[in-house]
Amino acid sequence: MKLLSATPSPYARKVRIALAEKGLAFELVTEVPWDRDATAPRYNPLGKLPVLILDDGSTVFESHFILEWLEARYSEPPLVPRDVDGRLAARRLEVIADGVCDATVLTLFERLRGEGCSAPWLERQRRKIEAGTAALAQAVRPGATYVLGEAFGLADIATGTVLGYLELRLPEFDWKAVHPHLAEWFARISERPSFASTRPQAQRFSDPVV
Ligand SMILES: N[C@@H](CCC(=O)N[C@@H](CS)C(=O)NCC(=O)O)C(=O)O
């Protein structure tokens, strides 16, 4: 398998962590998805990464679907709780985490518009980012090792990757001061090898995006 990825992408990082946790070998192909020479549109009609390219040339895209696909094809170790309530709780947190990432991406591109950027739009995204982070903070029990129950899984991957992305992209949002127990949890999970080896890093784009 190959994984089309970008170094800052929280969506691609979710998949990198899941592949590492499941012990699956893959070739990491890194590109800048915003540049005109990006290859993602060849594999995903939506033009976005991450894309998992299988050995037979078929593709799986959209991070939540790739994680679902991995869970269906490679069930061990499980990353999604087997009980219905646990599974739904993990998926719900993933929806929130992905939504915070989406609002952060929209914020970054709106800011790139410079003087023409829309204050009401930025404010709308800021509310989503702050409320989404507060919802994640509520889900993490103070002192807990894992977000849900006693095992590592999707809820940790989703929560940890969005927090890593916020740390990189919106350093002015001091969620660590607002939610100190979330900051402590994040520090612990960040030491896990699958997290430590995939820390997000900014990329430079060459082409105008907005
Ligand atoms: N909902 C998608 C979001 C993926 C996404 O936005 N990827 C960005 C990189 S972080 C991308 O490839 N953007 C290029 C574009 O939208 O043209 C997922 O979860 O996989």
Side-chain angles (χ1 to χ4, degrees), residues 13-210:
R13 190 177 182 212
K14 283 164 62 186
V15 179
R16 292 172 67 191
I17 291 171
L19 287 164
E21 293 286 344
K22 285 187 178 286
L24 296 169
F26 67 102
E27 181 187 337
L28 184 67
V29 180
T30 301
E31 66 178 17
V32 180
W34 306 103
D35 282 353
R36 79 187 65 174
D37 61 359
T39 65
R42 284 190 220 156
Y43 302 108
N44 174 355
L46 304 175
K48 298 179 184 189
L49 57 77
V51 181
L52 195 60
I53 306 167
L54 307 182
D55 292 342
D56 66 2
S58 60
T59 55
V60 190
F61 43 80
E62 192 70 34
S63 62
H64 68 87
F65 181 59
I66 301 175
L67 263 57
E68 190 176 338
W69 187 94
L70 287 173
E71 203 61 23
R73 294 280 181 218
Y74 302 95
S75 56
E76 295 298 330
L79 293 177
V80 179
R82 295 251 156 97
D83 66 293
V84 173
D85 287 344
R87 191 165 77 231
L88 294 177
R91 294 279 181 218
R92 178 178 178 277
L93 290 174
E94 184 181 31
V95 169
I96 296 170
D98 283 356
V100 172
C101 290
D102 294 346
T104 304
V105 171
L106 290 174
T107 298
L108 299 175
F109 284 112
E110 190 61 27
R111 285 179 179 174
L112 278 185
R113 286 152 51 84
E115 286 188 0
C117 76
S118 161
W121 182 255
L122 288 174
E123 176 57 21
R124 180 173 289 268
Q125 304 315 320
R126 189 186 64 76
R127 287 196 299 268
K128 294 179 201 303
I129 293 165
E130 291 185 5
T133 306
L136 296 172
Q138 206 176 16
V140 177
R141 293 151 295 149
T145 305
Y146 304 117
V147 176
L148 288 180
E150 303 307 319
F152 176 87
L154 173 63
D156 303 291
I157 297 175
T159 306
T161 52
V162 64
L163 295 177
Y165 191 57
L166 288 173
E167 191 179 49
L168 176 74
R169 291 302 205 199
L170 288 187
E172 71 278 16
F173 171 33
D174 194 358
W175 57 268
K176 293 182 184 176
V178 183
H179 307 291
H181 77 285
L182 190 62
E184 284 163 22
W185 174 84
F186 178 67
R188 285 194 293 278
I189 205 80
S190 297
E191 286 173 11
R192 200 172 168 93
S194 60
F195 274 74
S197 60
T198 57
R199 283 191 211 291
Q201 286 170 6
Q203 274 177 330
R204 197 178 277 280
F205 347 130
S206 316
D207 295 324
V209 180
V210 291

